[in-house]
Amino acid sequence: MNERCVLVTGFAPFAGEARNPSFEIVRRLDGERLGAHRIVGAFLPVVFGAAAAGLEGLLDTHRPELALAIGQAGGRDSLSLERVAINLVDARIADNSGMQPIDVEVVRGAPSAYFASLPLKAMRAAMLAAGVPTTLSLSAGSFVCNEVFYALCHLRATRDARMRSGFLHVPWLPEQAVDHPGQPSMALETMLTGVRAGLACALATVDDLHVPGGSTH
Amino acid sequence: MNERCVLVTGFAPFAGEARNPSFEIVRRLDGERLGAHRIVGAFLPVVFGAAAAGLEGLLDTHRPELALAIGQAGGRDSLSLERVAINLVDARIADNSGMQPIDVEVVRGAPSAYFASLPLKAMRAAMLAAGVPTTLSLSAGSFVCNEVFYALCHLRATRDARMRSGFLHVPWLPEQAVDHPGQPSMALETMLTGVRAGLACALATVDDLHVPGGSTH
Amino acid sequence: MNERCVLVTGFAPFAGEARNPSFEIVRRLDGERLGAHRIVGAFLPVVFGAAAAGLEGLLDTHRPELALAIGQAGGRDSLSLERVAINLVDARIADNSGMQPIDVEVVRGAPSAYFASLPLKAMRAAMLAAGVPTTLSLSAGSFVCNEVFYALCHLRATRDARMRSGFLHVPWLPEQAVDHPGQPSMALETMLTGVRAGLACALATVDDLHVPGGSTH
Amino acid sequence: MNERCVLVTGFAPFAGEARNPSFEIVRRLDGERLGAHRIVGAFLPVVFGAAAAGLEGLLDTHRPELALAIGQAGGRDSLSLERVAINLVDARIADNSGMQPIDVEVVRGAPSAYFASLPLKAMRAAMLAAGVPTTLSLSAGSFVCNEVFYALCHLRATRDARMRSGFLHVPWLPEQAVDHPGQPSMALETMLTGVRAGLACALATVDDLHVPGGSTH
């Protein structure tokens, strides 16, 4: 019998950083329980193609009911629930294998975009109620984070529509921000509080809140 | 015989502002020539539905080769060439008719997103070379600006694939920013220099530049 | 026999906030030891005049070797070691008693400004080494924080030149930033790590580091 | 007979920039009239010591009734009227002669700080009324701009108390900001409108406005 499972993924450090907060979040969450569910934490490389392939393997192995991929967004001040994954790779910097693809599709011929299938507005409310600054975001960029988010949505759409999935961007850790003067950060414990509150809410919520959450531009 | 035509649209003031820089840009550009093309400037209301309908009428009337919709993005510091229109309306504030739709599609059942069909990276290079701060953006928000951008792309895809189209977000004017302390602005003349350089480049460019232009998040 | 003492002061909540991180830092540090020194934590009201008077009483009572006043700087992303206290009160908002003095001196006829007498650059280095984002700041504002900083420097100059003193501004707590979307914050534990590292460094350091720490504007 | 005169000074480009907006403002204003006054525009080097010496020579030659030094503050979004000059040099970068002094006084043994003697709040109101984003600032930094501001105030205090004086920081020009993505700028014409409105107000105003203009931190 498979246990009911929540998959959370994090990334290796990249862009010259020694750490990646998403990696540390996932290492901490791995094996925790959320009610009837067990959290499986796993790592993905910051390498185009390999990241999406790694994700596909994890979904095959664990068949999670809910999957949340997490990535670092250095310079943001809040946890960011991503709403849209786009079928575009346009790398501002090289990935960890040295590749820097420009203006190609994540999946050839697939839809231009997918929307997250998690109840993001309810999750945001729960995370704010837990005291953790959280926003909704309409762009996950065009780097490996977006590729994984897109691949996650595409696999859901093409193979397992029961699974609900989304992506969370997190700020730098304070220990990273000491090398980025004038940039915000967030403590690992604060991030963990937010992620736990968000996942618990997602598991308990079927219909999302009907409240505003967009931006004028 | 129809003259060859470039359509630029601007919006009415909204969100309590007395002015909208996109309106003033379009008023100035209307009737100008760009080589063999005449610029037609026209205005759209900041009203969901009516804005897209107005755009459709303009396309029917003028049959432009190139259409650039322009909108205000208060708080941004640069001209922003938008890359992605999403099939989502989620209004943070009410539009000028008092409507505030939440989490509905722009066009029911249509694709999740469209990419702009203008050579945005070449346009950015031309606008920077003209001395005007310009960036590429992966989100046009989820308000009326995005609706018009999405409708423009959808009409292109479903009715007139010859037309190339895109969306430009512009900062507040200095005269608006005096009421928003600590927020950036841009002079109308600077915006006009940028828009003219961008349009001229778009008309002269078939294949976009193959240079990085994405973001990591 | 008096024990050797370090005084840290924090403020009551103000500006409609339910909490003030400086208050919580001081409550946690009160009674801790730093080598041969005991930390005394005490609270000051956010009221012009009363804050400076309260500080004077604390100095009389405790005769600290080192005094660090701490205050909230909502919107900053890092701990900020303040370098300059100015003889100016110009309140952007009312204090907690409803007073809003404009363009008056903190101490009539006293010098225009004082510089902190702590080894701020060494402290910054120690706080960064502890993993806590920390900057030097050339303005503590013109509200009650600056008044207390100025009063502290003035009392040192006029009564007890042995005492070394300074001021630290701290960001909002995450629990406060949930009500300020798009604004940075810092966890209380991160702040505590930074303050402890800074105080320990100050006690151990006589001559400050000779490294750049200014700003071009 | 000397004509009544207003002195405005600008700086040479520095920090690798090809232009300095303060230089261009001053070149444009030189020779203009403001009612009974003639504007004298003059340039200062971005070199510690030489800048202050150059200023002293200009005051000797022109004996202005009012002197406004202007400098570039790359990254700011508004014109900034500086309120406080401090007796501190702490250079974050080398000046144009390669010197990088750290933690020395501008004038040995002189007061810690001076306040501007212009009616800054009235000027701000006039500049805002002219449609130009303008703020009051409590720190002019610790580089050559602050040195010139301090020297100006010190010369006033020690030699010519009739002269009123101040300092204005201005943003990058758009042509500079193209090399600083994500940073604000302001058009030269907008700056000129603001400076003219501010100077005219200063000449016409004896007592400053009694309105709030400080900051809480």
Side-chain angles (χ1 to χ4, degrees), chain B residues 99-178:
Chain B
M99 286 192 301
Q100 189 176 5
I102 292 176
D103 290 345
V104 296
E105 292 174 295
V106 177
V107 178
R108 193 162 309 181
S112 300
Y114 286 106
F115 292 103
S117 47
L118 296 175
L120 300 184
K121 291 177 173 179
M123 291 170 71
R124 175 183 59 167
M127 294 158 82
L128 290 174
V132 181
T134 306
T135 59
L136 301 179
S137 166
L138 288 166
S139 172
S142 55
F143 196 60
V144 181
C145 285
N146 175 71
E147 176 179 282
V148 162
F149 183 22
Y150 186 91
L152 182 56
C153 296
H154 187 64
L155 291 166
R156 173 184 187 272
T158 54
R159 303 194 349 188
D160 182 5
R162 274 183 327 106
M163 177 182 74
R164 292 187 297 164
S165 58
F167 194 93
L168 181 77
H169 262 128
V170 301
W172 277 314
L173 297 167
E175 296 82 356
Q176 298 177 280
V178 299

Side-chain angles (χ1 to χ4, degrees), chain B residues 78 127-134, chain D residues 172-183 185:
Chain B
S78 303
M127 294 158 82
L128 290 174
V132 181
T134 306
Chain D
W172 276 315
L173 297 166
E175 296 82 356
Q176 297 177 280
V178 298
D179 295 320
H180 302 278
Q183 296 290 318
S185 62

